[in-house]
Amino acid sequence: MSTAVVVEAPGAHRLAPHDPVAPGPGEALVSVHAVGICGSDREVYQGNRPEGYVRYPLTPGHEWSGTVQAVGAGAPEGLVGRKVVGEGFRNCQVCDRCHAGETTLCTAGYEETGFTRPGAMAATLTLPARLLHVLPDDADLTAAALLEPAACVAAAVLKANARPGERVAVVGTGTLGMFAVQFLKAASPAELLVVGSGTDREALSRRFGATDFRTKDQELTPDFDVVVETAGSASAARTAASLLRRGGRLVLTGIPAPGAEGLDPTELVVRQLEVHTVFGAPPDAWAHTVRVFGAGLLDPLPLVTHELPLAEFSQAIELVGAGDPKVGKVLLRP
């Protein structure tokens, strides 16, 4: 019998029997290959995710890859048997933001796979077929399980609009930071600096295309055209802003703890900095990510350090929160 992880309430979970949900009109049933765990899953388990952005009891899992088993009426029959990944935001498609392509800003309210809707920590996942992105037939589904965080970074890089020959930097060396390096490398920058809290990711950063690596306590010069912040702390945001030349472009992707002291508005105005933020990934970022992955320009596998069975959910959550630099991306295999 197949199982699913169910988080009943903060700090309480169980393995429950799982029966596939037959796809309704416009839906697809996906056999889950692998599901990633990130800091937001840990927030769900600990109970410190912001109010309104989680609904218990819940099967988590918003980073996943799989193969379509069946489709409901009105969904394309050609999806059956295809390798896929899928968007998490359950947007309404009819509000003005959705019509503008900004589905992560849907005015109908927040709904997302793995947070308010059943996620992929189960043998199968049923979701609207319109959210699926088809992968090449020879795609590595283990690597593809990381395309959700990659899509979030793609959203940031698209907003940054880095141009060939510009000087760019990434602050943060986690999964998001390493994807940012790969995306920005594809834009042919004159310089690509990575700033980390330690040196444990220097070799990997350079492997992915970084031309320089510094720690945040080393000398940093304010002459970059574009900086993408991925570390999720207020200090990282300030470091990122400090790297920019006047008129430079900053994109923030991390979510600091509530009450954190952020950027100085006087500095932003006087230096005429262009600031963007990203929460989730709209369809264009997903499409961009799948294209780049299919072209072989995105290599997620070096980021995976642990693959565990679904039954070891607790251990996976502990690994993600341990702060061990040897722990990268943790995947569960249903």
Side-chain angles (χ1 to χ4, degrees), residues 33-54:
H33 173 81
V35 54
I37 295 183
C38 79
S40 57
D41 295 304
R42 186 172 170 82
E43 289 176 354
V44 167
Y45 187 65
Q46 292 180 325
N48 51 14
R49 188 161 172 81
E51 185 178 356
Y53 288 85
V54 64

Side-chain angles (χ1 to χ4, degrees), residues 101-181:
E102 297 176 335
T103 54
T104 60
L105 300 176
C106 177
T107 59
Y110 171 79
E111 295 284 349
E112 186 177 2
T113 299
F115 297 106
T116 63
R117 300 288 186 93
M121 291 187 191
T124 66
L125 174 66
T126 301
L127 73 167
R130 62 181 173 80
L131 298 178
L132 298 179
H133 289 261
V134 176
L135 302 171
D137 291 338
D138 61 352
D140 184 324
L141 281 177
T142 300
L146 277 69
L147 292 188
E148 192 277 342
C152 295
V153 173
V157 171
L158 290 172
K159 285 191 175 184
N161 191 28
R163 304 175 183 92
E166 288 191 314
R167 304 184 72 230
V168 302
V170 175
V171 176
T173 57
T175 299
L176 298 183
M178 294 299 94
F179 277 132
V181 173

Side-chain angles (χ1 to χ4, degrees), residues 11 22 62 85 110 117 149 188 190 194 204 214 223 226 232 256 295 300-301 319 334:
H62 61 287
V85 290
Y110 171 79
R117 300 288 186 93
S188 300
V194 175
L204 190 58
R214 304 284 180 89
D223 53 6
V226 172
L301 278 180
L319 283 169

Side-chain angles (χ1 to χ4, degrees), residues 3-5 18 30-36 41 58-66 86 90 112-115 117-127 145 310 332-334:
T3 58
V5 172
H18 173 75
V30 176
S31 176
V32 178
H33 173 81
V35 54
D41 295 304
L58 173 70
T59 292
H62 61 287
E63 304 178 2
W64 58 270
S65 63
R90 304 296 186 91
E112 186 177 2
T113 299
F115 297 106
R117 300 288 186 93
M121 291 187 191
T124 66
L125 174 66
T126 301
L127 73 167
L310 205 61
L332 293 178
R333 300 290 294 270

